[in-house]
Amino acid sequence: MTVSSRTQVGIVGAGPAGLLLSHLLALRGIDSVVIENRSRAYCEARQRAGLLEAGTVELLRAVGLGARMDAEGLEHGGIYLQFEGERHHLDFRDLTGGRWVTIYAQTEIVKDLIRARLAAGAAIEFEVSDTEVGELDSDRPVLRFTDSAGARHEVTCDAIAGCDGFHGICRDSMPPGLIEVAERGYPYSWLGILATVAPSTDELIYSRHVDGFALHTMRTPQVSRLYLQVPADEDIERWPDDRIWAELRHRLGVPGWDLKEGPITEKAISPMRSFVASPMRHRRLFLAGDAAHIVPPTGAKGLNLAIADVTVLAAALTSLLREGQAAQADAYSDACLSRVWRATHFSWWMTSMLHVDPHADRFEAALQLSQLRYVVSSRAAATTLAENYTGYFPLTWASLPESTRGRGITRGPDGAAGAGPGRAARTAPRPLRSRSGIAAR
Ligand SMILES: Cc1cc2nc3c(=O)[nH]c(=O)nc-3n(C[C@H](O)[C@H](O)[C@H](O)COP(=O)(O)OP(=O)(O)OC[C@H]3O[C@@H](n4cnc5c(N)ncnc54)[C@H](O)[C@@H]3O)c2cc1C
C-alpha cells in the first residue's frame, strides 16, 4: 500500500543544502518535507567542510542559526601560503577592508540545522530508500520513497528541490539531453586526517612542496584537520599513521616551527574534481549544492556554494508559491551559476597553483612558483586571492514585509527590515557591471 500526502516543497537530501532550504522556507511560512537515505547519526558525523565565508556566517546568523557557531567557531583573518621553504602571511582583513572567514565544521552546521528543524516540528524522514521524482512536466511533481519501516510514500508537491549531493538521483531525473556538464579531473587526490591534537598554527597553512601539496587546517582548538596530496588512485592502506605524520612534517616544515602530533581518529582519500551541470532547473525540479556542481576543496567553496544556492532558491520558491511570480524561479539557474563559475575558477586556480602535477614539466613548475611569488609580493594579486577566498559575491537574505511574514522571520544581514516585494525580489544579488565589464561589488 502507498501512503499519499501533500506538501509545498519536497526536498531530497538532508545535507546542508536540503536542511537549510527547509529552514528558510519555514521562515517564510512554506511547508516542506525532507527525505534522506542515511541515518541522522551518519549525517551528523560525516566529516567534510569546515570553512565558512563571511557571507555564509552572516546568513546563518540572520536566520537564527548563529548561536553555537558564534560561541565555538574560530574567526580567521588570513591564511599562510608556503613554498620554497618559506611561509608568507596574507592578511584578509587588511586586503579586503575587513572581511574574514570562520572555521566551524559542516558536522556542526548539520547538527544545528537538524535540531532547529525538529524543534520546529518539521518532517525529516531519515533512512529512506528507492527515492524517485516524477510528473516533472507538470506543476505537481511527485516525490516517492520507502520509509525506514518499509512503507511506500507518494508526496505530491508544488516544487521539488534536489539537494541530494553529487551521487543523488535528481540530476539524472532531468529530461535526457537537458543538462550540459562541464568538468575537469585532477591527477591527484587528498588524503585527509582528523587528529585529536591542538592545531600547530593560528591560521590555515597552504604549502606547495616539491613532493606535493599539504594543508594544515583545524576544526576546534583541540582538533586538527590535515591533508596531503597523494596519487589519484592511491590506496589508503599504504599510509599508516607514522608515514602520514612524517610526510606532513616534511611538507609543512619550516625552521623554528614544529608540527604537534596526536591520535588520528579518521583518515580518508577524496578525489578532486570540478563539475558544473546546467541548467539547475527543469520546470518545478530545482537542483542545489553538490547535486549541481562540485569543486576541489582547495578553495573551500563547496559548502558555501550549497548555502548560497538555497538562499536564492528559498526566495524564488517564496515568490513562486506565495505570489505566483515565476521571474525569480526562471532566473534561479543563471543567478546561481554566475557565483558557481567564479568559485569554480578560484578553486581550479588555487588547486593548479599549489599541487604538483605528476605530468607537469619544468616550464609549468616555474610558472606555478612565479604565480605564488606574485601573490605574496603584489597587493593586487593578494587582494584577488583574499577577495575570492572570503566570498566574492555578497549573500543577502531579505526579510518579508510584516503583512506577509510566516513564522520566525528575522531581519536581513544588513539589519534592514522588510520593505515590500521589491526588497524580497533582490534576494538573488547581481554584481554591478563596471565600465570595463568586470563584475564589481
Ligand atoms: C573531504 C572534503 C572536504 C571539503 N572541504 C570543504 C571546505 O573546506 N569548505 C567548503 O565549503 N566545502 C568543502 N567540501 C564540500 C562540501 O562538503 C559539500 O559541498 C557540501 O557537503 C554540499 O552540501 P549538499 O547539501 O549540497 O550535499 P551533501 O552534503 O552531499 O548532502 C546530500 C545529501 O543527500 C543525501 N542523498 C543522496 N542521495 C539520496 C537519495 N536518493 N535519497 C535521499 N537522500 C539522498 C545524502 O546522503 C546526503 O546527506 C568538502 C568536501 C569534501 C568531500
Side-chain angles (χ1 to χ4, degrees), residues 36 165 175 195 200 392 401:
E36 164 60 50
S200 307
Y392 183 70

Side-chain angles (χ1 to χ4, degrees), residues 11-19 35-38 42-43 46-53 106 110 125 128-132 145 162-170 190 192 204 206 215 217 219 225 227 268-271 288-307 309:
I11 300 175
V12 186
L19 291 165
I35 63 160
E36 164 60 50
N37 60 5
R38 301 286 195 161
Y42 182 93
C43 292
R46 186 168 36 199
Q47 287 302 326
R48 285 192 164 182
L51 193 139
L52 307 180
E53 294 175 0
Q106 182 168 326
V110 167
E125 285 280 348
V128 306
S129 54
D130 300 321
T131 307
E132 293 171 19
F145 63 94
C163 303
D164 49 350
F166 186 65
H167 299 290
I169 54 101
C170 288
W190 272 17
L204 275 64
Y206 286 81
L215 170 62
T217 177
R219 288 293 176 262
R225 182 91 165 132
Y227 296 97
I269 292 183
S270 314
D290 277 19
H293 42 74
I294 52 174
V295 286
T298 328
K301 290 295 174 211
L303 172 59
N304 294 291
L305 285 177
I307 286 176
D309 284 355

Side-chain angles (χ1 to χ4, degrees), residues 16-41:
L19 291 165
L20 181 61
L21 178 63
S22 171
H23 180 82
L24 296 179
L25 291 172
L27 291 180
R28 291 187 166 176
I30 293 178
D31 290 330
S32 64
V33 167
V34 180
I35 63 160
E36 164 60 50
N37 60 5
R38 301 286 195 161
S39 67
R40 176 179 178 181

